[in-house]
């Protein structure tokens, strides 16, 4: 019975008494926004520097990345054609 009285008294708590200080809430929101803005700017600077360093690094290569990618693509295409031809030949020879 004691628990019932306790639950009844707890359910009568009025939410109108819950009054956070508006100034403190506004300060917290402003600091959160400032932190988010600072983090966004920091990420932007980080990405910019990584991209700049990557471009400088690839600029020192003897073979430009686009040419290297083109060569690799042609090698892969030739390998695929050779493998397809070998498969066709093996199937014909087996029958």
């Amino acid at each position: 019975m004691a628990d019932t009285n306790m639950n009844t008294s707890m359910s009568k708590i009025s939410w109108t008494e819950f009054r956070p200080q508006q100034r403190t809430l506004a300060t917290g929101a402003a600091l959160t926004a400032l932190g988010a803005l600072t983090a966004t700017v920091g990420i932007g600077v980080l990405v910019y520097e990584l991209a700049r360093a990557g471009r400088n690094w690839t600029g020192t290569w003897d073979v430009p990345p686009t040419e290297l990618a083109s060569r690799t693509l042609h090698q892969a295409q030739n390998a695929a054609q050779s493998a397809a031809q070998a498969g066709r030949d093996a199937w014909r020879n087996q029958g």
Side-chain angles (χ1 to χ4, degrees):
M1 286 274 178
D3 287 339
T4 305
N5 291 337
M6 183 181 242
N7 288 337
T8 304
S9 64
M10 292 190 78
S11 65
K12 292 182 182 180
I13 294 174
S14 172
W15 282 99
T16 58
E17 296 173 11
F18 180 73
R19 295 185 192 136
Q21 293 180 359
Q22 297 298 318
R23 175 176 259 171
T24 306
L25 287 177
T27 302
L31 288 173
T32 300
L34 182 63
L37 179 63
T38 303
T40 302
V41 170
I43 290 170
V45 169
L46 177 75
V47 168
Y48 170 78
E49 180 56 26
L50 288 173
R52 187 199 60 76
R55 285 184 181 181
N56 287 343
W57 178 52
T58 57
T60 62
W61 292 358
D62 292 334
V63 179
T66 53
E67 186 178 332
L68 189 60
S70 179
R71 286 182 189 176
T72 304
L73 176 62
H74 290 299
Q75 288 173 350
Q77 288 172 337
N78 289 338
Q81 288 173 356
S82 296
Q85 185 62 44
R88 282 190 294 268
D89 292 345
W91 187 15
R92 286 180 189 147
N93 293 335
Q94 197 173 31

